[in-house]
Amino acid sequence: MTTQKDPKRLQKILQEAAKQARLEDAGDVQPSFTHHEADWPIECTVGPGLEGAVACESKVGYVNGEKGALVYRGFDIFELAARSSFEEVSYLLLYGKLPTRRELEAFNDRLVAYRHVPKSLRLLMGFPVENMNVMGALRLGTNLMRQEFTSLDRLSGRPDPVSAIGSDEDSMGMERPPRGEHDATYEFLPKGASAPCRSAEGTESCLHLISGVATIAAAISRIQKGLMPLEPDPELGHAANYLYMLTGKRPDPESARIMDVALILHADHGMNASTFATLVVASTLSDIYFSIGSGIAALNGPLHGGANEQVINQLEEIGRPENVPGWFDKARTENKKIIGFGHRVYKKYDPRARVLGPLAEMLSGSCEEVTSLLETARVLEKKVIEELGQDKSIYPNVDFYSGLVYTCLGIPKQMFTPTFAVSRVVGWTARVLEYLENNRIFRPRAIYTGSFGQRYLPIEERRD
Ligand code: ACO
C-alpha cells in the first residue's frame, strides 16, 4: 500500500517552524548590532577569534542570536522559505529589493545562460578530480570560471611568454615550442576566436558564480563517480537543475521545492567565517572569483560548513539511539565538541534547524537510509539540550539536520558541504558587492606575546 503524500506538508512544516520560533522569541533586535548608520570608530568588546568585533556595516542580512532569528534584507527567513524561490532570494540579496515579474524573468534568463560553463568543465576534467577533495575541486572550478569569463590571465597586453623567456638564455631550450612545431601548445579557444575580456568585478560575475558554481559542483560529483557531467536543463529552476545535474534524475516537484528551501536557508548568514574570508580577500581588490575561492576554502572546515558531513559520521559512529547516553558521556569526558551543535552567535535554537529537522522527519518515511540515523539524531538532540542547553546555550545548528535532508534528496555525503557553497555563494557575492562600495582593506592587529631583544647566534654556536 502506498501512502498518499499531503501536498501541503512542506508548507505546514514552514508555518509550524515560524510559530515555534515566535513562541521562543526573547526580545527585540539587539541595539549594538543594529544601527541605521554606524558612528565609526565603534566601541565593542572583542574576544579571541574576533568574537564581538564589528567588521563593517551591511544591509544584506542580520542574525539575532538572542532571538534565534535570521533576516535577509529585512525579510524573515521563514517567510522567504515559505513563499519565495532561491532565484528570487538571490535577486533580493544582490539588489536589495524583491524583483518585479519582469525583473525576475530577466534575472532567470541570465542564470540559465550562466549555468553553462563548458570551458571551465573541459579544463577541470584535465585535473585529477576523482582524487581531489571536493571543496578543493570546487575552488579550482571557480578559478577556471574566472579564466573562462574574463581571460584576465591572458590579456593581450601581457608579454608573449616565449619571447619574454627568450631573453633568459638558460630557459630558452625548455620554454620554446618543439622545433618546427609552431602550434604545439594546446589552444583551448577555437582558432581565431577572441578571448572574452570582461571585468571580474560587478554583478555579472556574481551571477556567473551563483549559477556556475552549482554546475561545477554537480559535475565534480559525477566525475568522481566516473560519470560525464550533465548539461543543465533550461526548463528547470536552479534547485531542480542542481539535483538533476547531480543525480541524473529530474526531481519530482516536492523534492525540487525542498532543495529550493534548503538553498534559501543557507544563502546568507551574517559575518560568518567564510563570508569574512571572502570579504578580506575582496578588500585587497583581488577579484570576486578569488574572493569566492577563499570563501569555499573557509567553509570547508569542520567547525563551519564541513560540519554537515561530520554529523553523519558522528551519527554512524553512535549507531543505535540507546548508545547516545554512553557516547555523549565519553565525548564530554574527552572534551569533544558535539558536531552539529553550538554556534558563535545563536544562543537559541537555530531557525534553519527548526525547518531542516522536521523536513528530515518528513522525508525519512520514504528514505530507509536515514530512518535509524534520524532516530539517533533526535535522541542526541534531546540529550545535548538537556545537558548543555540551559547552561551553555548549546542547541542544534543548521548542519545537524541538513545532511539527513540531502541524503533523502539523493545527494552523496561528500557533496553536503559543496551544496552549502552552492547556496552561500549568493551571500558571499552580495556582501562583496556591498563592501566594495566603501572599501577599506581589512587589517586588524595581533597582540604580540613574544619576547624582545633576542641576540642572533651564528648557527655553529647553537646547541641541539
Ligand atoms: N559541543 C559541546 N560543547 C560545546 C559545543 C559543542 N558542539 N559548542 C560549544 N561548546 C561549549 C564549549 O566547550 C565551551 O564550553 P566552556 O565554556 O566550558 O569552555 C562553550 O560551549 C563555548 O564554546 P566555544 O567553543 O567558545 O564557542 P565558539 O563560539 O568558539 O564556537 C562553534 C562555535 C565553532 C560552532 C562550536 O559550537 C563548535 O565547535 N560546534 C561544533 C561544530 C559545528 O557544528 N560547527 C557548525 C557551526 S554552524 C556553521 O558554521 C554553518
Side-chain angles (χ1 to χ4, degrees):
M1 192 185 82
T2 53
T3 42
Q4 201 67 34
K5 276 189 205 167
D6 172 1
K8 294 217 172 101
R9 58 186 189 157
L10 175 57
Q11 220 50 23
K12 283 183 187 159
I13 283 177
L14 291 165
Q15 280 163 3
E16 183 56 28
K19 194 171 128 199
Q20 285 302 321
R22 274 195 299 273
L23 285 178
E24 282 193 25
D25 189 334
D28 217 336
V29 292
Q30 304 148 297
S32 46
F33 297 115
T34 48
H35 295 291
H36 279 301
E37 210 170 300
D39 194 6
W40 296 90
I42 278 173
E43 279 193 22
C44 50
T45 308
V46 180
L50 294 182
E51 181 167 5
V54 175
C56 60
E57 292 170 48
S58 176
K59 291 185 169 62
V60 174
Y62 169 59
V63 183
N64 186 335
E66 304 300 325
K67 209 172 154 181
L70 174 59
V71 168
Y72 296 167
R73 297 275 188 189
F75 293 88
D76 188 86
I77 190 68
F78 295 118
E79 185 168 19
L80 291 174
R83 303 179 64 184
S84 188
S85 65
F86 178 72
E87 286 87 334
E88 190 178 57
V89 166
S90 301
Y91 187 101
L92 173 69
L93 288 169
L94 285 171
Y95 297 101
K97 70 176 201 75
L98 287 174
T100 62
R101 191 180 297 279
R102 201 179 319 161
E103 285 166 338
L104 186 59
E105 277 168 14
F107 185 72
N108 274 337
D109 287 346
R110 282 148 84 202
L111 291 182
V112 168
Y114 285 137
R115 209 161 274 137
H116 289 266
V117 284
K119 289 187 195 115
S120 306
L121 284 182
R122 190 146 49 97
L123 293 175
L124 189 69
M125 289 175 75
F127 288 86
V129 172
E130 58 285 358
N131 298 324
M132 285 174 80
N133 168 293
V134 187
M135 291 293 270
L138 189 61
R139 191 172 180 219
L140 168 64
T142 58
N143 236 342
L144 300 174
M145 285 176 70
R146 176 181 185 271
Q147 179 67 13
E148 175 171 353
F149 195 68
T150 68
S151 289
L152 279 180
D153 294 338
R154 80 180 114 103
L155 289 174
S156 52
R158 298 176 98 208
D160 163 36
V162 174
S163 49
I165 292 166
S167 60
D168 169 4
E169 294 283 314
D170 290 343
S171 53
M172 272 174 76
M174 252 175 63
E175 301 294 342
R176 276 189 169 162
R179 193 183 300 272
E181 291 181 49
H182 296 292
D183 298 331
T185 22
Y186 183 72
E187 283 291 334
F188 289 107
L189 282 176
K191 284 229 172 329
S194 58
C197 189
R198 286 177 280 199
S199 144
E201 304 302 338
T203 321
E204 284 305 307
S205 309
C206 298
L207 299 195
H208 183 226
L209 280 158
I210 291 167
S211 209
V213 160
T215 309
I216 300 264
I220 291 167
S221 177
R222 290 183 67 84
I223 296 168
Q224 289 206 332
K225 288 183 187 158
L227 300 167
M228 286 298 285
L230 287 178
E231 286 281 326
D233 179 342
E235 299 303 315
L236 298 178
H238 194 72
N241 240 316
Y242 179 56
L243 283 177
Y244 164 63
M245 290 187 288
L246 200 66
T247 63
K249 286 192 228 111
R250 283 174 179 78
D252 61 74
E254 189 185 68
S255 302
R257 179 70 186 120
I258 291 168
M259 187 71 243
D260 198 41
V261 168
L263 292 180
I264 292 172
L265 294 177
H266 286 81
D268 184 65
H269 206 248
M271 199 49 54
N272 58 83
S274 57
T275 300
F276 186 53
T278 306
L279 290 185
V280 170
V281 174
S283 81
T284 68
L285 300 187
S286 182
D287 65 50
I288 187 108
Y289 293 86
F290 287 145
S291 307
I292 297 309
S294 42
I296 291 171
L299 188 70
N300 183 50
L303 294 186
H304 192 17
N308 53 14
E309 188 180 335
Q310 297 307 323
V311 165
I312 301 295
N313 296 339
Q314 178 179 271
L315 293 173
E316 284 168 355
E317 181 191 310
I318 297 171
R320 303 286 316 139
E322 54 271 26
N323 299 342
V324 165
W327 182 90
F328 178 86
D329 291 344
K330 186 163 178 284
R332 293 298 294 153
T333 315
E334 292 170 359
N335 221 2
K336 273 195 194 154
K337 295 267 177 74
I338 320 294
I339 310 294
F341 290 85
H343 199 273
R344 174 65 63 81
V345 178
Y346 288 123
K347 299 304 161 207
K348 287 269 152 130
Y349 211 103
D350 184 327
R352 303 162 298 175
R354 275 193 197 286
V355 176
L356 292 165
L359 276 183
E361 197 95 52
M362 175 183 113
L363 292 171
S364 71
S366 48
C367 181
E368 238 173 71
E369 215 179 325
V370 307
T371 317
S372 69
L373 291 178
L374 181 68
E375 260 181 71
T376 305
R378 284 302 192 195
V379 176
L380 181 62
E381 171 179 341
K382 194 160 174 282
K383 179 78 180 161
V384 174
I385 294 179
E386 256 168 36
E387 301 281 340
L388 303 171
Q390 189 80 12
D391 286 356
K392 294 192 185 287
S393 306
I394 304 284
Y395 296 94
N397 59 45
V398 66
D399 291 323
F400 190 57
Y401 288 109
S402 61
L404 295 175
V405 173
Y406 294 156
T407 304
C408 298
L409 296 177
I411 302 177
K413 193 164 66 174
Q414 73 276 14
M415 291 306 296
F416 293 174
T417 314
T419 301
F420 196 152
V422 163
S423 166
R424 185 55 59 82
V425 66
V426 179
W428 292 333
T429 50
R431 283 175 186 266
V432 166
L433 283 185
E434 180 188 57
Y435 190 78
L436 290 178
E437 281 173 19
N438 276 307
N439 185 48
R440 188 161 164 80
I441 190 167
F442 279 103
R443 196 1 179 140
R445 300 289 302 262
I447 296 174
Y448 176 66
T449 55
S451 57
F452 291 94
Q454 293 268 23
R455 283 190 46 236
Y456 184 86
L457 209 56
I459 197 160
E460 38 309 331
E461 293 175 30
R462 293 174 217 161
R463 299 230 179 94
D464 280 331

